[in-house]
Amino acid sequence: MERTDTKERLLGATLKLISTRGYLGATTREIAREAGVSELTLFRHFRSKERLFEEVLNTYTFLPRLRELLPELEGLPCDEALMSIGTGFLETLKERKSMVRIMFSEMNTYPEKVRRVHKRFIDETILTLANYFRALQDRGRLRKFPHTTGARAFLGMVFSYFQTEEIVKGRNINKKEMQRTVGEFTDIFLRGVK
Amino acid sequence: MERTDTKERLLGATLKLISTRGYLGATTREIAREAGVSELTLFRHFRSKERLFEEVLNTYTFLPRLRELLPELEGLPCDEALMSIGTGFLETLKERKSMVRIMFSEMNTYPEKVRRVHKRFIDETILTLANYFRALQDRGRLRKFPHTTGARAFLGMVFSYFQTEEIVKGRNINKKEMQRTVGEFTDIFLRGVK
DNA sequence: CCATAATGTAAGCACTTACTTACATTAGGA
DNA sequence: TCCTAATGTAAGTAAGTGCTTACATTATGG
């Protein structure tokens, strides 16, 4: 009974290694070494690599915070509310970068498992935002437009920005840059470019 | 001298298998079998799996294709031009789906050399559209806005849409749905939602 | 103080992988 | 007709890979 955090260390090491080297590229030997335990311990806790991976997905699944965020935006003007939604979304993505990486890398290895995570996060976020837009339309704060497509559009801008900069280029989007870019996205989304 | 298209068949098989199983998951045996040649022939044409993969990336790049999207839009009004860019972009992504899959799923596991090409690809795509926007601004057809962010925004909407539907969900976006959605994106992008 | 549960070390197994070697076949051009 | 270039078959190699077995160590709680 030497350690109590063995399982957590293994899960963390697996998340790290699979997100950087891919499922096939991350070996159980290396995961164990990264966690500071023997390979045998890995197999004693999780019976196979696949089960280990599954537990990683379950452990680090993330849910959108948008729903909790919305009530706080009640009184705000549209631009400030959207700005807040955009930066909140981007911050969640940054926090869960490893999981986002895995989501799009292991789509082929384990399609159903990964799709579940995607559905829980992306689809849910689009839906929530779309409903929010509809509410704003009903109150006359926004003009009529297809609210689901609108949600897709806004989140798509932010997500693609995250994907190209943080994931593909490996850059870190700092607070200042984030504020600026999301601000510009918001402005375009609200006012249009014409 | 039995066949003249051996190399092409191998490149095609590699594209197909790597895009579905990943770089490590696609074995040289299977690639050869898919191409209808012996594994030895594969190694005689390309000396290693890595070189084979590099040639695949060079062969199937579609950056030139994207560049062709702009020139023919001279006389069109903004909304039609944007619509054309959006659908053209989306159609290219669909056509080159395998490449898109490879580029955005596993890039972090590939050698630095490959990643650099990929980064340049993204930057150039954004830059091309950004320059187009600037030209339209100079001619007073669009209002002043940060043109690079604008290009990011528009391409991001379309790309995220493609990624979610075609890659993650495995759906086929048909012509009609594509027209509608891109039309709505364009409208939002030009007029805003306020 | 001792049973137990969590860990370790070490060896190894069955399998796969990228890649090689040696040798044979075949078809077209000189 | 014969040389050459492209291909094939078959066997094999070295280095992994996930996972197992056998056995030892150690700390803790009753």
Side-chain angles (χ1 to χ4, degrees), chain A residues 64 68 166:
Chain A
E68 302 140 38
E166 291 255 353

Side-chain angles (χ1 to χ4, degrees), chain B residues 12-28:
Chain B
T14 309
L15 177 70
K16 176 176 174 183
L17 285 174
I18 290 191
S19 78
T20 53
R21 303 214 209 298
Y23 179 76
L24 290 174
T27 72
T28 50

Side-chain angles (χ1 to χ4, degrees), chain B residues 68-79:
Chain B
E68 291 165 17
L69 253 44
L70 292 183
E72 322 136 20
L73 308 172
E74 272 308 314
L76 293 178
C78 281
D79 55 343

